Amino acid sequence: MTSRRELIAAISQRYHSASRADKEKILDEFTEVTGFHRKHAIRARRGKGSHGTLFYGESFTIVQNLKRELPRGTLREMLRQIGLSPNDLL
């Protein structure tokens, strides 16, 4: 069975690039599969609060949604948490 987090990540990618009509269909499918109310599904997909989640395969790390530059060393630590090195980005 797919975890709720994986489902949300999967629909978020589809939802972001979909047309308005397709977004409605995606939400309908998601609410049918999860049993969520429509508004809850929208909020779950969008996320809320001051943090977001960065997924890389099975790994993930929590990312603070900053409107300024990341503090020194933060990106390196985030990459370490999901099992990547800075050289993997090059």
Side-chain angles (χ1 to χ4, degrees):
M1 176 167 198
T2 306
S3 74
R4 187 182 308 173
R5 186 173 296 164
E6 291 170 332
L7 283 172
I8 291 169
I11 69 149
S12 291
Q13 293 170 356
R14 286 178 50 209
Y15 191 90
H16 180 70
S17 61
S19 68
R20 187 177 182 108
D22 289 338
K23 287 180 181 182
E24 185 176 331
K25 291 176 188 172
I26 292 168
L27 279 176
D28 289 341
E29 291 171 9
F30 184 69
T31 55
E32 187 176 320
V33 169
T34 61
F36 287 172
H37 290 282
R38 192 173 186 82
K39 194 64 173 180
H40 182 72
I42 292 168
R43 288 180 180 143
R45 187 208 60 82
R46 185 180 63 218
K48 59 182 181 177
S50 62
H51 293 75
T53 307
L54 174 66
F55 292 96
Y56 181 74
E58 295 291 318
S59 304
F60 68 94
T61 186
I62 305 300
V63 181
Q64 195 173 23
N65 292 333
L66 299 173
K67 294 184 179 176
R68 59 185 188 280
E69 278 189 38
L70 290 172
R72 185 176 178 97
T74 303
L75 180 60
R76 185 169 276 124
E77 178 61 22
M78 289 168 30
L79 291 172
R80 186 193 63 76
Q81 288 177 7
I82 59 175
L84 294 174
S85 73
N87 293 335
D88 293 335
L89 298 177
L90 301 176

